[in-house]
Structures are given as C-alpha cells and as structure tokens.
Amino acid sequence: MTADVNSTTSGSLSGPPPWYQFPVCAVAPYGFLFYFGVKVFNLAVGTPCNILVIWQIFTKKSDTSTCDVFIFNLAILDAYFCLMTPIEMANRLLLGNSGIWYFQRFAYGIKDTAPLFLVCICLDRYMAVVHPVFFTSIRDNKFRIFISVVVWGLILAYGLTKSILGVMSVNEIFSGVILFAFAVMVLCNISVMWVLRRSVAGKEEMHPVKKKAFKMVLIILAIIVVNYLPPVALMPFVSYYSFIVFRCQISVSVFSIMDLSCSVEPLLYISKMDRLEGRCCGRSPSKQPQDVQV
C-alpha cells in the first residue's frame, strides 16, 4: 500500500538478503520483518475473516444494515489484497520478475483507495443518526449500489494508473485520498457520538441498542486513528528523514500498520455480528438504530 514498498524491481532484489527493498536496508531490517509479519497475519487471519463477512452478508435474508452494501465491497477488496500476499512474497523472495510487479502495484493501488468505502460507511451512519428524516428517503440499496459502482470505478482507475505508470504517478493522489478520508471519517464519527450522547441528556441511562451503537462508533474511531493517522502524520515530514530512516524503517512500518486494516475491519464486523444476531437484531429489526450500525 505504500509508495516505497511496491516500487521494488527485479534489479533491486539482486543482492542478499532478498527481502530488503534496497541493499542499504540491510542495516535496518526490522521494518521489513514487521512488514512480512503483517503480510502473513493478513493472509492467515484477514483472508478467512473477509470471506466469512462476504458470505454472511450475501446469505443474510433479514436484519440487514444499510451499511452492508459498502462493507460487502470493502471485504471483497480486502480479501483480494490478502490473497495477493503469496504472489508478492514469492516474487520478492524468489522470482524477482518485474512483470509480476504490474499486478502487485495494481493490488496496492486497490488497497490505497480502500478508505473510500470506509468514507461511504461513515457517511451512511452519519446520515442515519444526524439526519434521520432525510435518511428515510435514501434507504433504497439501489442508491448504495450505484455509489459502490462509482467508487469501484475510481478505485480501478487509480489501480491501473499505479500499475502502468508507476508509483510516483499517483503519489499526490494517494496523499489527497488519505487526508480526505481521514478528515471525513473523524468528523462523521465525532458527529455521531455527539448526537447519540446528546439524545440521552437528562435521562439516567442510554437505550441498550443506542449504547451498543455508541460503543461501536468509539471502537471504529479508535481503529481509524490507529490505522490511518500514522501515514497522515508522516507525509508533511518526509523531507526531514534520511533515505535509510524513511525508506527502510519509517514508511514500511507505517504503511504496514495501515495494511492491518485488512484484518481489523472484518474482525470488528464479525464480533459485532455475533452479538447483534443473538440479542438485538432478531428482537427489534424495525427500530431505526439498526440503520446506524456498521
């Protein structure tokens, strides 16, 4: 997902050890060890979890959330990225085929723009909580399917550009996408938390369903900060780091944390799915808070 990780070519893989991006990175191996650890974790945990999310949403007959369309698409995107791990590791460690990097850069381009679906989820939840009257007029999933098609068009265009023209051709676009997504997601989540908290002002206790939604928003906000704040905070200070510090340590570690979202997001959905199906959704499918949940 990083501009530096997927810019490796077969020529830069000629010197031992093969997992370093550049020969000079031999003096700073820990970033790459963390990078491959995240890769293996995503393959082992993220892949089955995303497939489970896809299956659960696809087979769900009732109690669906309006966010499920976006979660379904995000799970497909994350599953594809996780499944590309064996190809990347084989190419980086053994093959060194520059042609395979076209496919790998495309996979990283797809993952670069995954936050667009998180933005859709946050905006959907924002409209349901903050503007519930208007939200009732746009509940039809055909509207969300149309938005998903538009987002996929942007994602595929970005991925193909990165694959064909190289990493630097989309570097500024990537920075803009991350900054935009991070700002929108944080503002939406803060607004949702504020409205939910204000709705119980003067009452002794928040409604159990709203309380669950409030806790879930807090968890998602924390994940957004942990996964997406590091690259946002890093971008303004790139010129201040040395080549080895930035290329071999900071960037590879920071973007590996961002890639962890492939596993964190489906795990969050699965844990919420188990609780809600057991106690809330089956009992009160018609209540509006169900539209708020992710």
Side-chain angles (χ1 to χ4, degrees):
M1 196 153 154
T2 115
D4 43 274
V5 170
N6 56 36
S7 61
T8 309
T9 62
S10 57
S12 63
L13 293 172
S14 58
W19 54 83
Y20 297 142
Q21 179 186 358
F22 304 104
V24 294
C25 290
V27 299
Y30 300 107
F32 286 92
L33 293 176
F34 178 65
Y35 169 76
F36 280 105
V38 170
K39 282 290 184 182
V40 173
F41 180 82
N42 279 338
L43 180 62
V45 177
T47 302
C49 286
N50 279 293
I51 292 175
L52 177 60
V53 170
I54 293 170
W55 177 83
Q56 198 277 335
I57 295 177
F58 184 77
T59 58
K60 186 185 292 185
K61 302 299 182 181
S62 60
D63 301 332
T64 58
S65 167
T66 55
C67 291
D68 280 351
V69 173
F70 302 128
I71 296 174
F72 180 83
N73 285 278
L74 181 61
I76 293 176
L77 188 153
D78 284 341
Y80 168 74
F81 184 76
C82 291
L83 288 172
M84 287 296 293
T85 295
I87 298 176
E88 177 185 355
M89 296 182 73
N91 192 44
R92 184 183 289 272
L93 300 177
L94 301 173
L95 304 177
N97 188 322
S98 59
I100 295 179
W101 276 106
Y102 284 100
F103 297 97
Q104 200 56 45
R105 283 197 298 268
F106 177 76
Y108 276 104
I110 293 294
K111 184 57 182 171
D112 282 353
T113 43
L116 292 178
F117 277 119
L118 289 176
V119 169
C120 292
I121 294 170
C122 287
L123 287 174
D124 189 273
R125 184 173 59 245
Y126 169 82
M127 295 302 298
V129 177
V130 182
H131 303 287
V133 176
F134 178 74
F135 179 77
T136 57
S137 64
I138 55 172
R139 287 177 56 90
D140 191 348
N141 277 340
K142 292 181 180 179
F143 174 72
R144 288 163 184 80
I145 293 174
F146 172 77
I147 293 178
S148 297
V149 171
V150 173
V151 172
W152 270 113
L154 296 174
I155 290 174
L156 293 175
Y158 178 96
L160 289 172
T161 302
K162 185 168 188 173
S163 174
I164 298 171
L165 300 182
V167 173
M168 299 309 297
S169 64
V170 294
N171 201 35
E172 293 182 358
I173 299 176
F174 170 71
S175 300
V177 168
I178 295 300
L179 290 171
F180 166 76
F182 180 79
V184 171
M185 287 189 290
V186 169
L187 289 175
C188 286
N189 278 277
I190 290 176
S191 299
V192 169
M193 289 189 297
W194 173 259
V195 170
L196 290 176
R197 177 60 68 182
R198 189 179 58 183
S199 67
V200 296
K203 300 179 182 179
E204 295 183 358
E205 188 176 357
M206 184 184 295
H207 189 277
V209 176
K210 285 189 175 182
K211 188 175 182 179
K212 289 179 182 294
F214 182 76
K215 289 182 178 179
M216 186 56 59
V217 167
L218 285 175
I219 294 172
I220 293 176
L221 180 58
I223 291 175
I224 289 170
V225 171
V226 171
N227 285 132
Y228 295 99
L229 182 59
V232 172
L234 171 70
M235 289 169 190
F237 304 102
V238 170
S239 60
Y240 293 94
Y241 299 110
S242 67
F243 181 88
I244 292 179
V245 171
F246 178 71
R247 294 290 186 178
C248 306
Q249 295 178 320
I250 295 178
S251 64
V252 69
S253 301
V254 163
F255 286 96
S256 294
I257 294 174
M258 198 168 171
D259 288 350
L260 275 173
S261 62
C262 288
S263 298
V264 174
E265 290 157 358
L267 284 172
L268 174 63
Y269 181 86
I270 291 170
S271 63
K272 177 188 70 70
M273 174 186 71
D274 292 338
R275 291 198 304 271
L276 291 178
E277 287 185 351
R279 285 187 275 180
C280 294
C281 292
R283 239 173 33 186
S284 55
S286 62
K287 292 187 178 180
Q288 182 176 337
Q290 297 300 320
D291 296 325
V292 178
Q293 296 159 358
V294 177

